[in-house]
Amino acid sequence: MNKIILTGLIVILCCSDAFALKSMEKDGVYLYYPEEEEALAASLMTKLDPIMDFLKSYSLSVPKPLHVIIDEKKDYPGVDVHVIPHYEIRIPIKAPGVLDEGYMEEDPWGYFLFKGMCLQSIYTIRSGLPDALHYVFGEVMSPNGIMAPWFDEGFSSLMYKLYCGRPVQDPYDKAIFMASLKPDIAKLSNHPGIWPGHYAYRIFGRPFIEWVYGKYGMNRLMDFIRVHGNGIIPLEIDLKAREVFGKTWHEMWEDFMGESARDSDDAAGIFIQGYWPEPFIYWNNSGVYPGVERNSVCGRYGYRNTRGTVWLQEYDWEEKSRIVAYMDGISRITEVKHVWDAGPGDVAVTRKGHVPYLIDLKSKDILGIETLIRSSEFIPGPPGAIQMSGPVRDARGRIAVSANVKGNWDIWVYDKSWTRMTDSPSTEMDPWWDGETLVYASDSSGKFQIYTPGTVQLTDTPHGAVMPRGGKYLSLMHNGWRMESYKISEETGNKILSLQPTSPESISPDADKGNKYNPFNSLFPNWMIPDFYADLSDVQIGLVTYSRDVSTDYTLNGGFRYSFYENYLSARLGGSAKGLDINLSRYPLDYSSDIADVDESRLEGKLAYRPFNNRWFELSCNWLGWEEREFDDVNGEDIWGAVSINKIFGSLGTSLTYEHYSGGMNSAYASFRLKEGKEIFSVFSLSAARTWGDYEPGHGSFRMGGDVGEGYFTRRPSRLYPLRGFPSNTFEAGQAYTAGAEVYWPIANIQKGYKTIPLFLHRLKLGTFVDSGICSDEVSTDDIALGAGIELVTSMEVAWGVMTEFRFGIALPVVKPDYIDSAGYVILLQIGRPL
């Protein structure tokens, strides 16, 4: 069976068209790119040898085969570096917006390529036990891949400075660094709830590592990387620093900040990334005020429309940019991707390939978010521009925007044609129409201040002024931003420069033309990882692996796990190709319910298809062969087809599945989950399930009871519904109906860490919940079961950048049918994922 599945998958791979991707290869480095971006790809190929030669001069070698992707899907301004399932660097095809990572580079793609290759070279340095484990498990053990982001950012930026012979200058980050009070080193690792927020690792990491380089030299930095690559406790970087530098990172940080200490002032600032002045609304990576607290990466620009809805830019899990609307604590997401910087006058920015376009949304204000994108007008950016940011339209229809031409940001105005309003080597951004007058922020004086065209300065703040909005602007304080006012005199006007068009330089590819894309080059995994789970009743160990090609349209996965309690070896093997999934799994089903005891060994196969490679609609054919573990002669098989829909509409999550079995049995089940509220928020859930026809326990039945964390090694059983306060699988029948409500109450906004320990606590909440349900063939009020309880929920960040939660609680059965003996409390605590 395994050979059949693999053969079928390979046939699909070989027969599939390679869609729009092409590739180039040179000395073990594969570069993948959209077909229309061949000139950009050829330009990057010419940079490979100089970068590798430079890194080699510092004893840094790039691992091969290395897969570099110019990612058509990716909008987020940053390079993604992976050592699992293969050595990979993903570069966004979208050039960074103003103040984004790499925004001052004439060639941001080359900058991201250098940074990715630099990080790859240090991630793969290891020795001792980590090196020995690498021979067995592959890249799963990489101590230098577990490093504080301020070190990664600081070291790669330092190397780029040495490579280019010039610093990675960012006047905005420099202004925040110079104004901010001395922070603790624990607050540098990407904590979005603390000023200066999500990019603290960049703001402080770059000058800190450059200071270490100036004080201790490059040899010591390289020694630290080598020593850290030999450590079996890679999380504790201070131990390695003391060995190399004679001081911990915390102690060196104290020395560094002691040289740049400053006195506080009495003014209180606010942690703001973007805002709207009337009525006062602001947003950052911790959410929207007033609104729901959440951790997400937001764009700098947004606006409040006539219905009171705030439109912002966010990134989805694939790092695609999208517009999200917030109204009355509810968020709604537009379906159109690769759109950012929504601004007044229903304008935004989008792209075709890597080329930016203004987009006239021509919105129909349905709940403030639904736009007719497909009928919108697309306006190419100024000649030679690789990116635009912050568009705003005035009452006359003129659109002002900040645009990047050859690494320099200036203000441009579109009124049937492009006019350049500023022309200086400084950064001009945040345009705004104040009546007939155009205002903007510029660092031409050495600090960001508010200006009008013709360099008429309107503000003179000590640390910096940005984002003029209707007579208000943000003034930089020691601990945040403060909103202040500016005035425009009658003499102030708009000085218009003559149009200075520039054309992008034609790139003459030195490399050969690209080849047709081949997924086999990047499909197979380079790692496998020990798999572990333990609770009071069982211990399970195993090995798992997973892989995907660089397009993410082809995957392989496999693994096994042994359960000491069950004395059973579970396993799975599967793959996918452009929306077609094949999976085979072996696992036990062992439970006791109110009607039966089930103890089966199962072999299950699934062939599923997701049209257009979507993630919310699936058609599948399923086969299940089973036998009772105690009686080998009791066995059988089930064959069924299924249609599944899993879709999220704003704060409402929906799931619907219909199954038809070969014996004539039919099943349908649906669930809904709605999240409402702001600081105190509630979660409501409903589910309904029914089987028509004769069913057997474990075959066509539905079960109820237990915690929401339960699941199989192979997949979470969709026929098991949570009912906290009762043991798992307490109820079983052909029908199940559940309803639940949870309310989370904020206790403390902790925002605490300790030195360089990679654990940072964010918020502590008290969760109160009620779960209820009926699981019976003949539904009656006598069958109602209800459980209630409380739990403490701490959101936290572990290993620098991984957001997770720790939950501990207790649940009680409040109402139970007479035929159920369960009583007493149930502890809610779990580590890992059970069988």
Side-chain angles (χ1 to χ4, degrees):
M1 178 65 73
N2 296 0
K3 292 182 179 179
I4 294 174
I5 291 176
L6 285 176
T7 302
L9 180 60
I10 291 173
V11 170
I12 293 171
L13 291 173
C14 293
C15 295
S16 298
D17 181 45
F19 35 116
L21 275 183
K22 295 185 70 176
S23 67
M24 299 178 180
E25 188 270 337
K26 183 178 182 181
D27 298 331
V29 179
Y30 294 86
L31 177 63
Y32 307 89
Y33 58 93
E35 188 172 9
E36 62 274 14
E37 300 290 346
E38 192 145 47
L40 178 60
S43 175
L44 284 183
M45 288 295 287
T46 63
K47 295 176 171 60
L48 287 175
D49 286 341
I51 293 175
M52 286 190 287
D53 289 343
F54 171 80
L55 294 175
K56 187 177 181 180
S57 69
Y58 286 89
S59 301
L60 294 170
S61 59
V62 178
K64 297 178 182 178
L66 176 66
H67 304 278
V68 181
I69 306 96
I70 304 175
D71 196 339
E72 166 64 29
K73 300 177 183 178
K74 179 177 166 64
D75 293 321
Y76 184 76
V79 59
D80 291 337
V81 178
H82 303 283
V83 296
I84 292 175
H86 46 246
Y87 302 117
E88 179 181 277
I89 298 172
R90 303 192 81 89
I91 297 172
I93 196 171
K94 169 182 173 286
V98 70
L99 303 188
D100 285 337
E101 171 75 3
Y103 77 101
M104 299 187 69
E105 296 293 325
E106 181 178 349
D107 177 15
W109 302 280
Y111 165 77
F112 288 136
L113 176 65
F114 178 92
K115 185 174 180 180
M117 296 180 74
C118 178
L119 292 175
Q120 280 284 5
S121 66
I122 67 173
Y123 288 170
T124 52
I125 293 177
R126 60 175 67 81
S127 60
L129 182 59
D131 194 41
L133 292 174
H134 172 257
Y135 281 103
V136 179
F137 297 109
E139 286 300 324
V140 69
M141 186 60 181
S142 181
N144 285 319
I146 308 173
M147 189 77 82
W150 48 261
F151 182 88
D152 282 349
E153 179 62 36
F155 184 80
S156 60
S157 295
L158 171 64
M159 296 299 288
Y160 188 70
K161 173 184 177 180
L162 297 174
Y163 175 68
C164 296
R166 58 178 175 81
V168 183
Q169 295 181 350
D170 189 326
Y172 186 79
D173 287 355
K174 181 179 179 181
I176 295 176
F177 172 79
M178 295 302 297
S180 299
L181 297 176
K182 174 184 173 181
D184 188 272
I185 196 171
K187 298 180 180 180
L188 303 189
S189 297
N190 197 23
H191 306 306
I194 295 179
W195 165 258
H198 183 74
Y199 300 109
Y201 70 95
R202 188 175 81 193
I203 295 170
F204 295 99
R206 288 178 175 178
F208 177 42
I209 298 301
E210 189 165 340
W211 177 86
V212 174
Y213 166 72
K215 189 174 183 65
Y216 295 95
M218 178 60 72
N219 289 337
R220 293 279 193 93
L221 280 170
M222 292 300 303
D223 287 343
F224 167 76
I225 294 172
R226 283 188 284 266
V227 170
H228 191 260
N230 185 30
I232 60 174
I233 310 176
L235 301 182
E236 184 48 271
I237 63 175
D238 267 351
L239 297 178
K240 316 302 185 302
R242 183 179 292 279
E243 181 179 343
V244 174
F245 299 103
K247 290 186 176 183
T248 66
W249 285 111
H250 173 71
E251 291 169 336
M252 286 187 286
W253 173 259
E254 292 295 313
D255 293 343
F256 167 63
M257 291 308 297
E259 297 181 9
S260 55
R262 55 191 65 87
D263 296 329
S264 176
D265 55 21
D266 296 329
I270 303 175
F271 176 23
I272 294 176
Q273 181 162 320
Y275 84 111
W276 188 264
E278 299 293 345
F280 186 60
I281 297 168
Y282 69 84
W283 55 91
N284 52 43
N285 294 106
S286 296
V288 178
Y289 172 82
V292 179
E293 287 187 343
R294 52 183 294 184
N295 291 326
S296 61
V297 180
C298 299
R300 177 176 177 80
Y301 300 103
Y303 79 106
R304 185 174 185 266
N305 67 10
T306 56
R307 296 177 63 93
T309 303
V310 180
W311 288 28
L312 303 178
Q313 171 199 355
E314 289 187 2
Y315 297 95
D316 65 12
W317 68 276
E318 287 186 315
E319 298 188 333
K320 297 176 183 176
S321 179
R322 60 189 182 181
I323 301 299
V324 179
Y326 292 88
M327 181 176 65
D328 298 329
I330 300 175
S331 62
R332 297 282 302 277
I333 302 171
T334 56
E335 293 296 326
V336 180
K337 307 296 184 182
H338 314 304
V339 179
W340 60 92
D341 289 5
D346 292 331
V347 291
V349 186
T350 186
R351 63 177 173 84
K352 297 180 180 180
H354 75 274
V355 180
Y357 284 74
L358 284 179
I359 181 170
D360 184 347
L361 296 179
K362 301 183 185 299
S363 67
K364 289 188 176 180
D365 200 6
I366 304 170
L367 296 180
I369 65 161
E370 298 299 337
T371 59
L372 299 181
I373 297 290
R374 291 171 180 82
S375 63
S376 299
E377 179 184 1
F378 291 82
I379 303 168
I386 61 173
Q387 190 51 275
M388 296 185 287
S389 289
V392 291
R393 176 157 46 189
D394 70 355
R396 290 170 48 185
R398 297 176 297 178
I399 302 173
V401 69
S402 179
N404 177 4
V405 178
K406 293 188 175 181
N408 180 233
W409 290 84
D410 282 303
I411 304 298
W412 294 71
V413 170
Y414 181 80
D415 188 11
K416 297 183 180 179
S417 62
W418 284 105
T419 301
R420 191 173 191 167
M421 305 300 293
T422 64
D423 185 15
S424 70
S426 54
T427 297
E428 279 70 51
M429 63 184 190
D430 301 345
W432 187 259
W433 292 105
D434 202 323
E436 289 290 311
T437 303
L438 178 63
V439 295
Y440 57 90
S442 171
D443 69 328
S444 57
S445 66
K447 295 179 181 178
F448 279 105
Q449 303 291 346
I450 308 303
Y451 292 85
T452 64
T455 63
V456 178
Q457 186 171 331
L458 303 180
T459 63
D460 187 17
T461 60
H463 303 299
V466 296
M467 293 199 77
R469 293 291 184 268
K472 307 287 185 181
Y473 69 93
L474 296 182
S475 177
L476 179 60
M477 314 304 294
H478 287 318
N479 55 356
W481 298 93
R482 185 174 66 187
M483 190 166 64
E484 296 184 353
S485 301
Y486 66 85
K487 291 184 179 180
I488 298 177
S489 64
E490 295 182 0
E491 293 79 16
T492 302
N494 293 330
K495 179 182 177 182
I496 301 177
L497 300 179
S498 59
L499 179 62
Q500 300 174 14
T502 56
S503 300
E505 297 179 0
S506 60
I507 301 174
S508 178
D510 295 329
D512 295 334
K513 294 290 185 179
N515 300 312
K516 185 177 180 180
Y517 174 70
N518 180 0
F520 282 109
N521 290 334
S522 59
L523 179 60
F524 297 99
N526 63 2
W527 65 284
M528 57 182 176
I529 187 172
D531 192 33
F532 176 78
Y533 167 77
D535 64 10
L536 297 177
S537 61
D538 193 12
V539 174
Q540 303 163 9
I541 60 173
L543 289 172
V544 296
T545 190
Y546 167 83
S547 72
R548 55 161 176 76
D549 75 315
V550 299
S551 74
T552 71
D553 284 336
Y554 303 89
T555 67
L556 291 172
N557 66 83
F560 65 88
R561 190 193 283 183
Y562 178 76
S563 167
F564 288 89
Y565 173 76
E566 297 283 355
N567 188 25
Y568 193 94
L569 185 68
S570 296
R572 71 169 298 160
L573 179 67
S576 67
K578 299 183 69 173
L580 183 65
D581 299 343
I582 303 174
N583 287 282
L584 184 68
S585 56
R586 179 182 188 266
Y587 60 94
L589 185 65
D590 183 5
Y591 68 87
S592 297
S593 68
D594 59 330
I595 65 170
D597 294 332
V598 174
D599 186 6
E600 296 178 356
S601 174
R602 296 184 160 199
L603 182 64
E604 183 173 340
K606 179 178 180 180
L607 177 64
Y609 178 63
R610 291 172 281 110
F612 308 108
N613 206 15
N614 74 87
R615 300 184 183 276
W616 62 272
F617 178 71
E618 180 184 272
L619 302 170
S620 67
C621 297
N622 303 266
W623 171 84
L624 171 65
W626 58 273
E627 65 177 20
E628 288 195 9
R629 297 173 64 192
E630 186 174 353
F631 306 101
D632 294 343
D633 58 339
V634 181
N635 54 61
E637 67 176 9
D638 297 326
I639 301 174
W640 70 97
V643 179
S644 298
I645 298 174
N646 292 278
K647 186 72 171 175
I648 296 177
F649 302 92
S651 56
L652 176 64
T654 62
S655 176
L656 175 65
T657 299
Y658 169 75
E659 297 176 344
H660 176 71
Y661 287 75
S662 58
M665 185 176 66
N666 295 277
S667 291
Y669 37 102
S671 64
F672 303 90
R673 182 179 175 87
L674 177 66
K675 181 178 178 180
E676 293 279 1
K678 299 178 182 178
E679 292 187 5
I680 300 174
F681 65 92
S682 304
V683 179
F684 304 95
S685 58
L686 293 171
S687 63
R690 183 174 180 179
T691 291
W692 291 267
D694 296 332
Y695 70 88
E696 297 292 334
H699 302 270
S701 61
F702 296 94
R703 288 164 285 135
M704 190 172 70
D707 192 7
V708 293
E710 292 172 319
Y712 286 118
F713 168 55
T714 53
R715 59 181 182 176
R716 188 182 189 281
S718 56
R719 290 177 173 270
L720 174 61
Y721 292 93
L723 183 65
R724 288 166 288 186
F726 293 84
S728 178
N729 301 292
T730 299
F731 306 91
E732 184 172 15
Q735 297 184 75
Y737 306 92
T738 68
E742 301 173 81
V743 181
Y744 292 90
W745 311 81
I747 297 178
N749 190 23
I750 305 173
Q751 303 294 335
K752 293 291 184 182
Y754 182 71
K755 296 183 179 179
T756 61
I757 300 296
L759 174 65
F760 194 90
L761 302 179
H762 281 272
R763 302 184 183 96
L764 179 65
K765 294 184 176 68
L766 175 66
T768 55
F769 59 84
V770 175
D771 291 345
S772 63
I774 297 175
C775 187
S776 175
D777 291 327
E778 300 295 334
V779 176
S780 168
T781 56
D782 295 334
D783 298 312
I784 293 177
L786 186 147
I790 60 174
E791 61 181 351
L792 288 176
V793 182
T794 301
S795 59
M796 58 188 180
E797 183 178 339
V798 296
W800 299 295
V802 180
M803 296 299 299
T804 186
E805 289 183 340
F806 173 78
R807 293 172 177 260
F808 175 79
I810 184 172
L812 296 168
V814 179
V815 177
K816 61 186 181 69
D818 294 337
Y819 52 85
I820 296 298
D821 294 331
S822 63
Y825 61 87
V826 176
I827 297 295
L828 306 177
L829 177 64
Q830 181 179 311
I831 303 174
R833 293 174 62 88
L835 279 171

